[in-house]
Coordinates of all heavy atoms in Angstrom, one line a residue:
A33 N 12.2 -7.1 -18.2 CA 12.1 -8.6 -17.9 C 10.7 -9.1 -18.3 O 9.7 -8.4 -18.2 CB 12.2 -8.8 -16.4
G34 N 10.7 -10.3 -18.9 CA 9.5 -10.8 -19.5 C 9.4 -10.4 -21.0 O 10.3 -9.8 -21.5
A35 N 8.4 -10.9 -21.6 CA 8.1 -10.5 -23.1 C 6.7 -10.4 -23.3 O 5.8 -11.2 -22.8 CB 8.7 -11.6 -24.0
L36 N 6.3 -9.5 -24.2 CA 4.9 -9.2 -24.5 C 4.2 -10.5 -25.1 O 3.0 -10.7 -25.0 CB 4.7 -8.1 -25.4 CG 5.1 -6.7 -24.9 CD1 4.8 -5.6 -25.9 CD2 4.2 -6.4 -23.6
T37 N 5.0 -11.2 -25.8 CA 4.5 -12.4 -26.5 C 4.4 -13.7 -25.6 O 3.9 -14.7 -26.1 CB 5.4 -12.8 -27.8 OG1 6.8 -13.0 -27.3 CG2 5.3 -11.6 -28.8
S38 N 4.9 -13.6 -24.5 CA 4.9 -14.8 -23.5 C 3.6 -15.0 -22.9 O 2.9 -14.0 -22.6 CB 6.0 -14.6 -22.4 OG 7.3 -14.6 -22.9
P39 N 3.1 -16.3 -22.8 CA 1.9 -16.5 -22.1 C 2.1 -16.3 -20.6 O 3.2 -16.3 -20.1 CB 1.6 -18.0 -22.4 CG 3.0 -18.6 -22.6 CD 3.8 -17.5 -23.3
P40 N 1.0 -16.1 -19.9 CA 1.2 -16.0 -18.4 C 1.8 -17.2 -17.8 O 1.6 -18.3 -18.2 CB -0.3 -15.8 -17.9 CG -1.0 -15.3 -19.1 CD -0.4 -16.0 -20.3
G41 N 2.8 -17.0 -16.9 CA 3.4 -18.1 -16.3 C 4.3 -17.6 -15.2 O 4.4 -16.5 -14.8
H42 N 5.1 -18.6 -14.7 CA 6.1 -18.3 -13.6 C 7.4 -19.0 -13.9 O 7.5 -20.2 -13.5 CB 5.5 -18.8 -12.3 CG 6.3 -18.3 -11.1 ND1 6.0 -17.2 -10.3 CD2 7.5 -18.8 -10.6 CE1 7.0 -17.1 -9.4 NE2 7.9 -18.0 -9.5
V43 N 8.3 -18.3 -14.5 CA 9.5 -18.9 -14.9 C 10.6 -17.9 -14.4 O 10.6 -16.7 -14.8 CB 9.7 -19.1 -16.4 CG1 11.1 -19.6 -16.8 CG2 8.6 -20.1 -16.9
D44 N 11.6 -18.4 -13.6 CA 12.7 -17.6 -13.2 C 13.8 -17.8 -14.2 O 13.8 -18.6 -15.0 CB 13.1 -18.0 -11.8 CG 12.2 -17.6 -10.7 OD1 11.5 -16.6 -10.9 OD2 12.2 -18.2 -9.6
G45 N 14.9 -17.0 -14.0 CA 16.0 -17.1 -14.8 C 16.4 -15.8 -15.5 O 16.1 -14.7 -15.0
T46 N 17.0 -15.9 -16.7 CA 17.4 -14.7 -17.5 C 16.1 -13.9 -17.7 O 15.0 -14.3 -18.1 CB 18.0 -15.2 -18.8 OG1 19.1 -16.0 -18.6 CG2 18.4 -13.9 -19.6
A47 N 16.3 -12.6 -17.6 CA 15.2 -11.6 -17.7 C 14.4 -11.8 -18.9 O 13.2 -11.7 -18.9 CB 15.7 -10.2 -17.5
A48 N 15.1 -11.9 -20.1 CA 14.4 -12.0 -21.3 C 13.5 -13.3 -21.5 O 12.5 -13.3 -22.2 CB 15.3 -12.0 -22.5
L49 N 13.9 -14.3 -20.7 CA 13.2 -15.6 -20.8 C 12.2 -15.8 -19.6 O 11.4 -16.8 -19.7 CB 14.2 -16.8 -20.9 CG 15.2 -16.7 -22.0 CD1 16.1 -17.9 -22.0 CD2 14.4 -16.8 -23.4
A50 N 12.3 -15.0 -18.7 CA 11.4 -15.1 -17.5 C 9.9 -14.9 -17.9 O 9.6 -14.1 -18.9 CB 11.8 -14.1 -16.4
Q51 N 9.0 -15.5 -17.2 CA 7.6 -15.3 -17.4 C 7.0 -14.8 -16.1 O 7.4 -15.2 -15.0 CB 7.0 -16.6 -17.8 CG 7.3 -17.1 -19.2 CD 6.6 -18.4 -19.6 OE1 6.1 -19.1 -18.8 NE2 6.7 -18.7 -20.9
F52 N 6.0 -13.9 -16.3 CA 5.3 -13.3 -15.2 C 3.7 -13.6 -15.4 O 3.3 -13.9 -16.5 CB 5.5 -11.8 -15.2 CG 6.9 -11.4 -14.8 CD1 7.9 -11.4 -15.8 CD2 7.3 -11.0 -13.6 CE1 9.2 -11.1 -15.5 CE2 8.6 -10.7 -13.2 CZ 9.5 -10.7 -14.2
N53 N 3.1 -13.4 -14.3 CA 1.6 -13.6 -14.3 C 0.9 -12.4 -13.6 O 0.7 -12.4 -12.5 CB 1.2 -14.9 -13.6 CG -0.3 -15.2 -13.7 OD1 -1.0 -14.6 -14.5 ND2 -0.7 -16.2 -12.9
D54 N 0.7 -11.4 -14.4 CA 0.0 -10.1 -14.0 C 0.7 -9.5 -12.7 O 0.1 -9.4 -11.6 CB -1.4 -10.5 -13.6 CG -2.3 -9.2 -13.5 OD1 -1.9 -8.2 -14.1 OD2 -3.3 -9.3 -12.9
P55 N 2.0 -9.1 -12.9 CA 2.7 -8.4 -11.7 C 2.0 -7.1 -11.3 O 1.3 -6.5 -12.2 CB 4.0 -8.1 -12.3 CG 3.9 -8.2 -13.8 CD 2.8 -9.1 -14.1

Side-chain angles (χ1 to χ4, degrees):
L36 292 182
T37 56
S38 294
H42 187 100
V43 177
D44 287 338
T46 304
L49 299 179
Q51 290 182 345
F52 293 82
N53 185 14
D54 198 23

